[in-house]
Amino acid sequence: MRKQIAAANWKMNLTYLEGQQLLGDILENDLGSKVHHEVIFAVPFPYLIMAKEKTTSLKNYFIAAQNCSNKKSGAYTGEVSVDMLDSINIKHCIIGHSERREYFKESNQMLAEKLNLLLEKNITPIFCCGEPLDIREANTQNSFVETQLKESLFHLSADEIKKVVIAYEPIWAIGTGKTASTEQAQEMHAHLRSVLASQYGAEVADEISILYGGSVKANNAKEIFACPDVDGGLVGGASLVALDFIEIIKALK
């Protein structure tokens, strides 16, 4: 079975002490993670080592960075390199989140560069893709997201693409309270898998976890995760509430 993943994206939230408390409240619950389950906490850079220490002895729990530089090193004040993440044993990293694409003008080519650096260090990229409202309203979301995959991922070999986790985020449903219907989520996830299959074959495509990331909550996670091509969620606001994120973890297949 493909990895079923509950990934928390804290974004730019919580103080250090609040982050410690939240992690403690979640981790003290014995969630009985199955072998095919993974729980990932994408925390702000200053909290990576603290979070890593809290989860080191736990099985199936991982810490992710929320971003990395597309440059290996050098005079890039304020940036964090893949080598830096590797040096503190961080093995997951979100790239291409819609907020990074919009606010920091990250291009598909830049994300391809980040992917290459991450894979060189065996760090799992959580690659975000998704369409804004105007694209959805024009009914061109399939070709829009297909282009994101092709321009950022399709230079990878079959062995490399299997190391990537994809997160589909309908941008119009992030932080808006709107959620894609289960039919819309499944339809896009199935399309993404078909695009991967056309490039790499069905066998490879069936191994890649595709997460849904658009206002996942405790009360809708089970229904969304039940879709056959949805392999968990990349969770924003609900991941900042321990009881809510615990329910989301429990909702994994």
Side-chain angles (χ1 to χ4, degrees):
M1 188 176 189
R2 290 188 295 271
K3 289 289 185 185
Q4 302 296 300
I5 300 168
N9 180 14
W10 288 5
K11 306 190 182 185
M12 195 175 73
N13 291 297
L14 306 178
T15 65
Y16 187 87
L17 291 177
E18 289 168 344
Q20 278 187 315
Q21 182 67 51
L22 178 59
L23 273 177
D25 290 345
I26 294 169
L27 297 176
E28 72 181 8
N29 288 267
D30 182 5
L31 300 173
S33 292
K34 298 179 175 64
V35 68
H36 62 281
H37 282 182
E38 290 185 358
V39 179
I40 300 171
F41 297 96
V43 306
F45 287 125
Y47 308 165
L48 286 171
I49 292 175
M50 173 274 289
K52 184 72 178 174
E53 289 174 348
K54 278 187 171 290
T55 55
T56 294
S57 62
L58 300 175
K59 199 171 182 181
N60 301 331
Y61 287 84
F62 301 92
I63 303 304
Q66 295 178 12
N67 183 41
C68 66
S69 175
N70 65 319
K71 307 296 184 185
K72 190 168 179 63
S73 63
Y76 302 101
T77 301
E79 290 294 289
V80 173
S81 73
V82 170
D83 283 355
M84 293 174 184
L85 299 179
D86 182 57
S87 72
I88 57 172
N89 202 30
I90 297 300
K91 293 303 179 187
H92 294 75
C93 181
I94 295 174
I95 58 170
H97 191 280
S98 60
E99 292 157 4
R100 300 290 314 178
R101 292 176 185 265
E102 180 182 357
Y103 305 150
F104 301 97
K105 310 306 178 189
E106 295 189 354
S107 67
N108 292 333
Q109 177 57 42
M110 178 187 287
L111 298 178
E113 294 166 0
K114 294 185 182 191
L115 273 161
N116 293 342
L117 292 171
L118 289 167
L119 291 172
E120 281 177 14
K121 292 296 183 179
N122 292 313
I123 297 175
T124 298
I126 302 172
F127 174 81
C128 299
C129 59
E131 80 282 0
L133 183 60
D134 61 327
I135 296 294
R136 170 62 67 163
E137 289 178 338
N139 199 34
T140 55
Q141 65 273 7
N142 284 7
S143 60
F144 183 88
V145 176
E146 185 172 339
T147 297
Q148 290 179 320
L149 265 61
K150 286 181 175 179
E151 293 187 357
S152 293
L153 301 181
F154 277 15
H155 66 287
L156 301 176
S157 69
D159 284 340
E160 288 171 329
I161 195 72
K162 287 192 288 187
K163 298 175 183 177
V164 177
V165 173
I166 294 173
Y168 165 65
E169 38 172 23
I171 299 170
W172 46 273
I174 298 175
T176 63
K178 294 181 181 179
T179 308
S181 67
T182 52
E183 292 79 14
Q184 287 173 317
Q186 169 56 25
E187 181 182 71
M188 179 57 83
H189 281 238
H191 175 65
L192 291 172
R193 208 173 298 283
S194 73
V195 171
L196 292 166
S198 69
Q199 177 74 7
Y200 297 101
E203 188 175 336
V204 170
D206 284 341
E207 291 186 40
I208 297 171
S209 298
I210 306 178
L211 314 184
Y212 174 76
S215 295
V216 177
K217 298 182 174 62
N219 62 6
N220 64 17
K222 194 169 187 66
E223 182 182 359
I224 295 170
F225 295 173
C227 295
D229 284 293
V230 177
D231 304 311
L234 177 60
V235 185
S239 73
L240 302 175
V241 181
L243 291 177
D244 286 355
F245 193 58
I246 287 166
E247 289 304 310
I248 290 168
I249 296 169
K250 289 178 179 178
L252 293 172
K253 290 190 193 74

